[in-house]
Amino acid sequence: MATVSFDKATRIYPGSEKPAVDALDIEIEDGEFLVLVGPSGCGKSTSLRMLAGLEDVNAGAIRIGDRDVTHLPPKDRDIAMVFQNYALYPHMTVADNMGFALKIAGVPKAEIRQKVEDAAKILDLTEYLGRKPKALSGGQRQRVAMGRAIVREPQVFLMDEPLSNLDAKLRVSTRTQIASLQRRLGITTVYVTHDQVEAMTMGDRVAVLKDGLLQQVDTPRNMYDRPANLFVAGFIGSPAMNLVEVPITDGGVKFGNAVVPVDRDALSAATDKTVTVGVRPEHFDVTGSDSGQGLAVTVNVVEELGADAYVYGTAKVGGDDSKDLVVRVSGRDVPEKGSTLYIVPRSGETHVFSTSTGARLSD
Ligand SMILES: Nc1ncnc2c1ncn2[C@@H]1O[C@H](COP(=O)(O)OP(=O)(O)OP(=O)(O)O)[C@@H](O)[C@H]1O
Ligand SMILES: [Mg+2]
């Protein structure tokens, strides 16, 4: 087991001027499960491949434990990688696939057999050890790929979208299995996904990347409760946080006809005339139409989920322009399509960002 540090690690691909990964700085703890997440092309695979030694590091350094591995070949880094396509050898049995790396390393046969059997037991693959990959389901193949990494007892596991070939239901059960297996083995893991739900449910901490730049690295809870900027606010959470540009007024900012109190220090930091306020769909209170309070939302679509429902509507929030909003309401009290819903953002649950820089202004 070991810590992993990206120390301002930078990758500039030949022929490109802009770094694919720009001065990435992350300290990963021993035994931690860190998820790298972000939109396509943001540099997740490049970051992982730099750690694996499959991609040159053009500036900065990468350390595993106290070893500087920046220029070490992959085989000397003591890592095991699980890829999206599993890369199983089709002509070998499951047992041979799992033991292959150990065989290459010259480990005695009996010891390989023991390690493969132990891993198969953990992964529920014992009865498939004699089969070829083509006679397995997608989920079973995925577990063989995991098994191949486990038998090597590496210091670090690297996984690049290992669930993307599975159907939606299997993804959910497999992500739980991988997360609990990682916790049991306690091996430091860096896991790449573009799926923010996967990131939030699996990671001890989540690192959000955009255009090769680290936006925030935090626990899933902090990431959700205190997104560091507009990008993270919009990226983490589903349905996404409502983000509305609103004018600054005395004592706060105006959200519809409600004044949302905002920390003075935060506002004085904003040199703009407007700020962008963020409210998650579950952080609105529904008020009665007769209370004269709240923002009038015209209901366009209602998505019923049983326990609760998401109302997709439009409202005049800032200026004269109508703005689309998503509001979570109780499943027992669902408004009609076409009706008007009156809402106020719950105090203490609003986020304020600079419209121009995107930086978080509120606490
Ligand atoms: N071998 C390469 N040569 C040149 N540019 C590359 C190479 N590999 C990746 N890139 C570029 O580097 C950037 C980051 O790519 P990367 O594969 O790391 O993204 P990613 O976050 O893994 O995306 P995805 O979610 O689509 O897998 C992209 O702009 C990509 O086009
Ligand atoms: Mg990728």
Side-chain angles (χ1 to χ4, degrees), residues 152-167:
R152 295 173 54 192
E153 297 168 19
Q155 286 200 310
V156 186
F157 279 139
L158 307 184
M159 304 187 199
D160 194 347
E161 311 239 10
L163 305 183
S164 54
N165 286 344
L166 305 181
D167 65 51

Side-chain angles (χ1 to χ4, degrees), residues 80-91:
M81 191 148 170
V82 180
F83 295 95
Q84 169 176 349
N85 59 11
Y86 317 146
L88 301 178
Y89 300 108
H91 58 285

